[in-house]
Amino acid sequence: TLETTVGRLWAWRLSADQEWAVRVKMPVTMYFAGDTNDDSNRTALGDIKVATCTAFRLSNTLRAGSGLELRMPSGTDDTLSDNTWRLQEFGTIAWDITPWLTLSPTFEHNHSVAEQSGASPKHFLELYFPATILLPDDWAVTLRYETKFDFQNDNAYTHSAKFQVAKRLDAMPLGLALSVEKPR
């Protein structure tokens, strides 16, 4: 199975200390068939997400931002869609402790506003605690601890850790990242 997300981000400077952005994301999953006769290759689209946010530079080393995302049940496969219209409020603070180390705790509060096809309502809070280390030649490493409180499921609590290596490409405005995550 290969999972990727196709997306686009537009950003505008509103003032010397404020920016505003709009983002669209669509997950795509490709399943490659195994050796059984009834297995076949499949490609499916996930739920489309549209978001808008604003960010402020509070000082040379401190930034804060918040926004709102709408997730629409547009997935072509029930394994990629939770069949809910969901709102997500999110916010973050980024603190450049040194020129090469940034801490950026983030929260995401999700709640469904409508369900389709008998889907269960969603209501949960996710907290992320990443530390990003900038390396020479436009490389970066991020270590992130994640936790989730599921209010719809008896306040269930899960957590995981993620390790990511990224490289910014000089030839074009594009970056590549590889991440490994310990499941919840």
Side-chain angles (χ1 to χ4, degrees):
T1 302
L2 175 65
E3 296 179 10
T4 189
T5 299
V6 178
R8 180 76 174 136
L9 173 70
W10 298 270
W12 299 268
R13 182 172 293 269
L14 299 179
S15 71
D17 296 327
Q18 183 184 10
E19 294 184 4
W20 177 65
V22 175
R23 180 188 72 206
V24 177
K25 285 184 173 181
M26 181 175 19
V28 178
T29 297
M30 291 172 267
Y31 172 77
F32 301 101
D35 294 331
T36 60
N37 289 340
D38 58 347
D39 203 3
S40 61
N41 294 340
R42 296 187 309 272
T43 300
L45 301 177
D47 292 340
I48 294 174
K49 303 171 192 174
V50 178
T52 185
C53 65
T54 189
F56 297 91
R57 179 167 291 283
L58 305 175
S59 72
N60 286 341
T61 60
L62 192 63
R63 300 170 304 284
S66 65
L68 184 66
E69 178 180 270
L70 173 64
R71 182 176 180 155
M72 297 169 273
S74 55
T76 57
D77 184 327
D78 281 344
T79 61
L80 295 177
S81 177
D82 62 12
N83 292 318
T84 62
W85 287 86
R86 190 167 46 177
L87 285 176
Q88 177 189 85
E89 302 90 16
F90 57 90
T92 191
I93 294 175
W95 177 32
D96 300 326
I97 295 175
T98 69
W100 53 268
L101 176 61
T102 300
L103 300 180
S104 50
T106 303
F107 80 90
E108 295 178 358
H109 177 251
N110 288 269
H111 54 93
S112 56
V113 293
E115 294 82 27
Q116 295 180 340
S117 305
S120 300
K122 305 289 182 194
H123 185 202
F124 56 92
L125 174 68
E126 292 178 297
L127 302 172
Y128 303 96
F129 301 95
T132 301
I133 301 168
L134 299 179
L135 301 171
D137 299 322
D138 294 326
W139 284 90
V141 172
T142 301
L143 305 167
R144 182 167 89 175
Y145 174 75
E146 306 173 358
T147 187
K148 178 179 178 180
F149 300 93
D150 191 342
F151 305 120
Q152 200 66 35
N153 189 16
D154 294 327
N155 295 326
Y157 165 78
T158 57
H159 60 101
S160 63
K162 185 176 189 176
F163 175 77
Q164 179 174 316
V165 177
K167 168 73 171 143
R168 187 178 61 137
L169 303 177
D170 291 330
M172 61 186 95
L174 182 66
L176 299 175
L178 173 66
S179 62
V180 177
E181 185 171 354
K182 178 197 168 290
R184 295 176 189 251

